[in-house]
């Protein structure tokens, strides 16, 4: 278990450098995103699983996902199309906007 | 009892006896019996190392899972399992899970309180 934790931490430290995000700018830029991600329990027609909840998610993770969609490394026709229009700063701002919506605290377990 | 009634009775008996069988004995397609599936909570003990015991992860490298939509988590794990989505650790983690276990652990995280929310403008304006 310890080796697994260390392996996780090592991998987490790679590739997370990104532009600083401004949630106020992100609010404006995320209008399109809210069309799907802002509707409770929304599913696309295809693929038909529910669009993920983004409120409170780590900004860095959202940026990673957007980059993966933009590069085509991660598949999803709509998301690839959406992400292809975003600059790195756009991604950082949008991600900061969603991340700031809710402060999710890791409490003692 | 005449032949027709006998046939009908046997057919009904067979029909009724095959309803209500538990789905637990179905195969996941990878050749093993899913009836010994672990609970979502048990499976999540492995996930907790990175994703936190309550689905709230300590590091931005690992996404929060608490409260995430079940169908989304299921699809993510399926995609990690079959390699459609590439991530060294997650490919390995999901590879150990049967379809039934994927559904169980996804449901477990989806039910966790205090986690992710659907974005809303009113929430953002607070």
């Amino acid at each position: 278990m310890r080796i697994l934790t260390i392996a996780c931490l090592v991998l987490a430290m790679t590739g997370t450098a990104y532009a600083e995000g401004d949630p106020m700018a992100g609010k404006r830029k995320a209008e399109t995103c809210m069309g799907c991600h802002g509707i409770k329990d929304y599913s696309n027609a295809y693929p038909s699983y529910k669009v993920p909840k983004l409120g409170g998610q780590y900004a860095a993770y959202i940026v990673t996902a957007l980059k993966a969609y933009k590069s085509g490394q991660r598949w999803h026709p709509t998301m690839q199309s959406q992400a292809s229009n975003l600059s790195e700063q756009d991604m950082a701002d949008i991600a900061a906007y969603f991340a700031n919506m809710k402060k999710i605290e890791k409490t003692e377990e | 009892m005449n032949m027709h009634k006998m046939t009908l009775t046997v057919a009904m008996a067979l029909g009724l006896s095959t309803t209500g069988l538990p789905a637990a004995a179905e195969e996941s397609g990878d050749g093993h019996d899913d009836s010994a599936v672990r609970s979502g909570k048990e499976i999540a003990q492995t996930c907790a190392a990175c994703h936190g015991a309550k689905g709230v992860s300590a590091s931005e490298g690992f996404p929060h899972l608490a409260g995430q939509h079940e169908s989304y988590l299921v699809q993510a794990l399926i995609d990690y399992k079959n390699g459609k989505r590439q991530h060294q650790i997650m490919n390995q983690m999901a590879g150990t899970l049967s379809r039934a276990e994927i559904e169980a652990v996804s449901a477990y995280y989806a039910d966790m309180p205090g986690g992710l929310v659907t974005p809303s403008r009113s929430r953002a304006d607070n």
Side-chain angles (χ1 to χ4, degrees):
Chain A
M1 184 57 78
R2 181 177 290 182
I3 291 175
L4 179 61
T5 308
I6 291 171
C8 286
L9 284 167
V10 168
L11 272 168
M13 286 186 251
T14 59
T16 53
Y18 65 103
E20 201 58 46
D22 172 11
M24 290 303 292
K27 181 179 178 181
R28 173 176 47 83
K29 295 177 182 181
E31 281 294 327
T32 309
C33 317
M34 293 297 277
C36 293
H37 288 278
I39 300 173
K40 194 170 186 295
D41 294 330
Y42 188 76
S43 300
N44 292 135
Y46 175 76
S48 61
Y49 52 88
K50 288 184 182 175
V51 303
K53 295 178 190 174
L54 299 177
Q57 188 54 276
Y58 280 119
Y61 178 75
I62 295 175
V63 170
T64 299
L66 287 170
K67 285 184 174 176
Y69 284 126
K70 185 171 183 174
S71 73
Q73 184 197 11
R74 190 167 159 181
W75 176 91
H76 189 292
T78 304
M79 281 310 302
Q80 287 173 345
S81 169
Q82 294 294 333
S84 69
N85 295 326
L86 301 176
S87 67
E88 279 219 25
Q89 191 61 55
D90 292 337
M91 292 181 182
D93 292 342
I94 288 167
Y97 172 65
F98 286 128
N100 278 15
M101 262 190 208
K102 179 180 179 181
K103 189 75 181 143
I104 297 183
E105 297 280 332
K106 185 177 189 293
T107 54
E108 286 305 311
E109 292 146 16
Chain B
M1 197 186 284
N2 66 31
M3 274 307 294
H4 287 300
K5 268 191 183 168
M6 176 76 94
T7 309
L8 186 60
T9 307
V10 170
M12 281 179 63
L14 276 172
L16 285 168
S17 69
T18 53
T19 58
L21 277 179
E26 67 186 311
E27 286 211 343
S28 63
D30 52 14
H32 75 269
D33 178 9
D34 288 334
S35 60
V37 70
R38 293 173 289 160
S39 70
K41 187 173 179 178
E42 279 180 82
I43 300 162
Q45 284 169 11
T46 309
C47 317
C50 297
H51 290 287
K54 294 181 179 173
V56 175
S57 82
S59 160
E60 64 181 18
F62 319 120
H64 299 309
L65 300 179
Q68 186 55 276
H69 286 306
E70 182 179 340
S71 64
Y72 173 78
L73 294 174
V74 166
Q75 191 63 47
L77 287 170
I78 290 172
D79 287 347
Y80 282 128
K81 185 179 167 81
N82 65 27
K84 189 171 182 180
R85 211 169 139 177
Q86 286 288 309
H87 187 285
Q88 204 158 6
I89 300 174
M90 283 311 300
N91 290 142
Q92 190 188 337
M93 292 287 120
T96 68
L97 301 177
S98 68
R99 176 64 195 247
E101 290 180 327
I102 284 174
E103 289 175 359
V105 74
S106 298
Y108 178 68
Y109 276 112
D111 283 344
M112 281 183 179
L116 300 164
V117 295
T118 302
S120 74
R121 289 175 186 83
S122 58
R123 194 191 304 275
D125 287 338
N126 284 343

